[in-house]
Amino acid sequence: MNVKSLVSSRVAVATGLVLALGWGVSAHASATGPRTTIGKASDVVTHRSGGSGAVAACSQEVLGVSAVKEPADSEDARHLLLTVQNAGDKKCNLYRYPLVRLGAGRTTAPVIKESDPNPGVPVTLAPGEEAYAALLVNGPMDEYEAKSITLSLQGRKPGSRAGKPIDVPMPVETLYANDYQRVTYWTTAPGFALDFIMSK
């Protein structure tokens, strides 16, 4: 099954998004799931901004966050789609890629470098808009049990962070992760992100 079919057949995100506040996480209802824009580099660029100083970095205070299996009916949870939604009332910028940790005390998932179609340019989200990153959980090597997903946002300057870490709701009770895990850059086209992990 190709990525286009996987994305177009995916059901809306169960239970909506989660709004991460500065001191924890609370439910943020969403009537609709992520847009199923089919991924091409040209689609992504049109949703990006040059990063004007007037646009702040997105933080946990304004983002709703979710994680779902891809495809939704898969038996395992090797391929995940991370979704963030701007629940604030102003535009904000997502820089580079999410810093994701599977399990307490684990290292950050390495990024798939070729997954950025427009290097150096942030993804700008207007209120209500969504962005996506695809996460490959494991590969052919020894696994460990992960009971949590932690996502941190990058700031404008490389090496900086925007806001506090976010506890992402688990799509399954336990993930079986290992050092083969990888994450993509942020994008506004979920199919584009998934294309980098579904064949792995």
Side-chain angles (χ1 to χ4, degrees):
M1 185 180 293
N2 59 36
V3 173
K4 180 176 181 179
S5 297
L6 289 172
V7 176
S8 61
S9 64
R10 185 169 55 82
V11 298
V13 177
T15 71
L17 298 173
V18 166
L19 181 62
L21 302 176
W23 58 88
V25 178
S26 63
H28 173 67
S30 175
T32 59
R35 292 184 302 275
T36 53
T37 306
I38 300 305
K40 297 185 295 183
S42 59
D43 294 333
V44 180
V45 173
T46 59
H47 290 277
R48 291 178 171 240
S49 165
S52 168
V55 180
C58 297
S59 74
Q60 86 287 349
E61 294 180 345
V62 298
L63 289 184
V65 184
S66 71
V68 295
K69 296 187 299 180
E70 289 293 345
D73 60 354
S74 61
E75 294 183 1
D76 59 9
R78 290 191 64 235
H79 307 102
L80 302 183
L81 183 67
L82 304 175
T83 303
V84 295
Q85 183 185 63
N86 183 356
D89 57 5
K90 296 180 181 179
K91 291 182 180 180
C92 67
N93 282 339
L94 287 171
Y95 291 93
R96 293 171 288 280
Y97 55 92
L99 303 175
V100 179
R101 296 191 180 199
L102 299 178
R106 295 291 177 169
T107 58
T108 301
V111 69
I112 301 174
K113 294 181 178 179
E114 60 268 27
S115 65
D116 187 359
N118 199 5
V121 180
V123 172
T124 300
L125 294 182
E129 289 187 338
E130 296 169 341
Y132 313 89
L135 177 65
L136 180 66
V137 174
N138 59 42
M141 59 178 65
D142 291 340
E143 300 170 343
Y144 65 88
E145 291 188 356
K147 300 286 188 179
S148 63
I149 303 173
T150 305
L151 183 155
S152 295
L153 302 164
Q154 298 195 53
R156 187 183 305 275
K157 295 182 179 180
S160 66
R161 299 197 182 192
K164 298 179 180 180
I166 301 169
D167 292 325
V168 182
M170 293 283 285
V172 293
E173 183 177 349
T174 303
L175 291 171
Y176 295 92
N178 57 30
D179 290 342
Y180 199 78
Q181 62 190 264
R182 296 290 187 273
V183 71
T184 68
Y185 279 79
W186 290 117
T187 173
T188 54
F192 180 81
L194 289 169
D195 190 46
F196 289 93
I197 69 167
M198 295 306 295
S199 62
K200 299 182 183 298

